[in-house]
């Protein structure tokens, strides 16, 4: 923990020095312009660079929580609705994988349970990179999709729900005592989609924490031992999360707001029919280019959420007038 704090201080100092250099460079360009030099292109480039670094610095300042800098463990579950919701959960997985790729995060799917016809029943993945948890936590909650169903022969409009849960990956130096007697460990043959998502082997591991009923699985590694280690890491993260909630019930839930996956509980609506609009009900930020967002461009949704949360102006999820 001390090492992490030291790293943050060092990053703050580096940012301050970098901003100071950029401002000095811009001051020089202003002097040249006043003396008649044509520095329009250089000046615009310098301003763009300053703006980009200031925005990045603002986001980092908003991510000052204890675990914001940690890697993220993400689970996506479809709501009621069978194939329709399972397909929506798969769409969300694709969106976040593309977003993480743009961010330069390492992505690893730990457990993937496919749907019967399409989509997925459940998926757990890790995102490894700087501030992965702090950024991804902004996406925790229920996501609602409205579209003409590709699975409905009558081409009727359907509403589907899926829920995103996010936990920080725990450091090895954080002690979480889990007695062996509290665990049931089962091994099985992975039932995923092979090379597309997971390695199909006999080494998949499912761990049930008997006192809480929490179940975690990992089938990503070829070694049963490695799958067990990864599953235990996920279990520790979830137990640590539960412990924090018990101790500080009034604080915002670190793993995301686990509401019913249904109408009125959504944090964001993705409307593809009868018009196209994606709207975050907490921030009221909305975008009309739905394909761009579904292709992984959720950065502005995350940034707007973090800014409003930091300033204390964040709203609450509420049903909108979309049908």
């Amino acid at each position: 923990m001390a090492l992490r704090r030291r790293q943050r201080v060092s990053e703050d100092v580096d940012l301050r020095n970098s901003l100071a250099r950029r401002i000095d460079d811009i001051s020089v360009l202003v002097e040249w312009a006043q003396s008649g030099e044509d520095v329009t292109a250089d000046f615009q480039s310098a301003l763009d660079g300053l703006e980009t670094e200031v925005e990045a610095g603002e986001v980092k300042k908003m991510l000052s929580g204890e675990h914001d800098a940690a890697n993220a463990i993400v689970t996506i579950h479809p709501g009621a609705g069978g194939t329709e919701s399972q397909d929506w959960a798969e769409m969300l997985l694709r969106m976040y994988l593309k977003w993480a790729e743009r961010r330069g995060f390492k992505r690893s799917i730990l457990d993937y349970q496919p749907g019967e016809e399409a989509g997925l029943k459940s998926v757990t993945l890790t995102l490894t990179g700087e501030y992965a948890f702090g950024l991804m936590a902004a996406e925790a909650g229920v996501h609602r999709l409205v579209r003409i169903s590709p699975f409905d022969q009558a081409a009727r409009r359907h509403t589907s729900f899926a829920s995103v849960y996010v936990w920080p990956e725990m450091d090895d130096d954080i002690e979480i005592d889990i007695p062996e007697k509290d665990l049931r460990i089962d091994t099985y043959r992975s039932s995923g989609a092979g090379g597309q998502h997971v390695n199909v082997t006999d080494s998949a591991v499912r761990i049930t924490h008997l006192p809480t009923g929490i179940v975690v699985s990992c089938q990503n590694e070829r070694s049963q031992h490695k799958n067990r280690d990864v599953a235990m890491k996920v279990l520790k993260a979830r137990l640590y999360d539960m412990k924090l909630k018990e101790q500080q019930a009034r604080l915002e839930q670190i793993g995301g707001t686990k509401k019913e996956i249904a109408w009125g509980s959504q944090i964001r609506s993705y409307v593809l029919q009868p018009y196209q609009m994606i709207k975050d009900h907490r921030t009221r930020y909305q975008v009309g280019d739905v394909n761009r967002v579904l292709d992984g461009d959720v950065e502005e949704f995350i940034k707007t959420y973090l800014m409003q949360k930091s300033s204390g102006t964040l709203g609450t999820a509420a049903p909108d007038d979309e049908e």
Side-chain angles (χ1 to χ4, degrees):
M1 299 299 287
L3 184 60
R4 181 179 295 169
R5 284 194 295 270
R6 180 179 177 182
Q7 181 180 352
R8 287 187 181 180
V9 171
S10 177
E11 290 173 353
D12 289 343
V13 171
D14 290 343
L15 175 61
R16 179 187 179 281
N17 292 337
S18 178
L19 291 174
R21 285 193 299 270
R22 288 186 182 274
I23 293 172
D24 287 343
D25 291 343
I26 291 174
S27 298
V28 171
L29 290 173
V30 169
E31 291 177 4
W32 288 356
Q34 290 173 342
S35 65
E37 294 277 348
D38 182 8
V39 295
T40 303
D42 291 335
F43 191 69
Q44 186 59 54
S45 176
L47 286 177
D48 290 344
L50 178 62
E51 182 181 14
T52 299
E53 191 158 14
V54 167
E55 287 184 355
E58 285 178 341
V59 170
K60 281 192 175 183
K61 283 301 179 185
M62 290 183 286
L63 297 174
S64 57
E66 183 180 0
H67 301 292
D68 282 348
N71 300 326
I73 298 171
V74 182
T75 295
I76 302 174
H77 287 297
T83 302
E84 215 25 80
S85 292
Q86 290 173 11
D87 186 56
W88 172 223
E90 179 84 57
M91 291 169 65
L92 284 175
L93 171 63
R94 175 182 177 273
M95 182 178 78
Y96 290 126
L97 288 175
K98 283 184 169 291
W99 168 77
E101 182 180 14
R102 292 184 183 194
R103 274 248 161 207
F105 291 163
K106 179 183 177 182
R107 297 144 294 151
S108 179
I109 292 181
L110 307 181
D111 184 59
Y112 181 93
Q113 302 298 325
E116 287 88 354
E117 298 180 39
L120 59 87
K121 292 181 179 178
S122 174
V123 64
T124 298
L125 63 149
T126 57
L127 302 179
T128 304
E130 189 177 30
Y131 294 99
F133 171 71
L135 293 166
M136 191 62 204
E139 294 295 293
V142 178
H143 296 248
R144 168 181 171 244
L145 173 70
V146 181
R147 65 171 174 175
I148 300 296
S149 170
F151 308 101
D152 187 338
Q153 293 183 348
R156 291 170 293 190
R157 191 149 42 104
H158 285 245
T159 298
S160 307
F161 298 90
S163 196
V164 177
Y165 304 110
V166 186
W167 298 276
E169 186 177 78
M170 293 291 100
D171 290 336
D172 292 335
D173 58 351
I174 295 179
E175 293 293 332
I176 304 292
D177 182 33
I178 307 177
E180 196 71 25
K181 65 180 178 61
D182 289 346
L183 302 177
R184 186 177 73 236
I185 301 176
D186 302 306
T187 58
Y188 61 99
R189 183 173 178 80
S190 62
S191 58
Q196 181 184 356
H197 289 295
V198 297
N199 299 315
V200 180
T201 69
D202 292 310
S203 62
V205 173
R206 180 185 298 111
I207 300 178
T208 303
H209 186 246
L210 299 175
T212 62
I214 292 175
V215 179
V216 297
S217 304
C218 182
Q219 51 182 321
N220 186 54
E221 307 291 342
R222 292 190 178 276
S223 159
Q224 189 178 112
H225 177 72
K226 288 183 178 179
N227 277 328
R228 187 185 189 280
D229 287 346
V230 173
M232 283 298 296
K233 182 170 286 191
V234 175
L235 177 60
K236 287 181 179 181
R238 294 187 61 175
L239 289 175
Y240 184 80
D241 175 53
M242 180 178 292
K243 181 180 178 181
L244 286 184
K245 291 191 181 80
E246 290 173 352
Q247 292 175 340
Q248 303 175 344
R250 293 190 178 185
L251 293 182
E252 182 179 8
Q253 294 181 355
I254 198 171
T257 305
K258 297 174 178 57
K259 296 184 178 181
E260 182 183 355
I261 313 178
W263 181 275
S265 61
Q266 68 270 7
I267 64 166
R268 189 177 302 149
S269 289
Y270 304 70
V271 181
L272 308 189
Q273 290 286 343
Y275 55 91
Q276 295 199 336
M277 180 69 69
I278 299 178
K279 182 173 183 178
D280 195 298
H281 302 294
R282 304 163 300 176
T283 64
R284 302 304 175 188
Y285 179 76
Q286 59 188 35
V287 171
D289 190 347
V290 299
N291 291 325
R292 176 168 58 84
V293 175
L294 292 173
D295 279 338
D297 191 359
V298 295
E299 200 69 29
E300 284 302 314
F301 283 100
I302 292 173
K303 181 181 174 183
T304 303
Y305 173 85
L306 292 174
M307 289 180 68
Q308 291 192 15
K309 180 182 176 184
S310 178
S311 63
T313 59
L314 188 65
T316 57
D320 240 5
D321 56 358
E322 295 107 342
E323 295 294 335

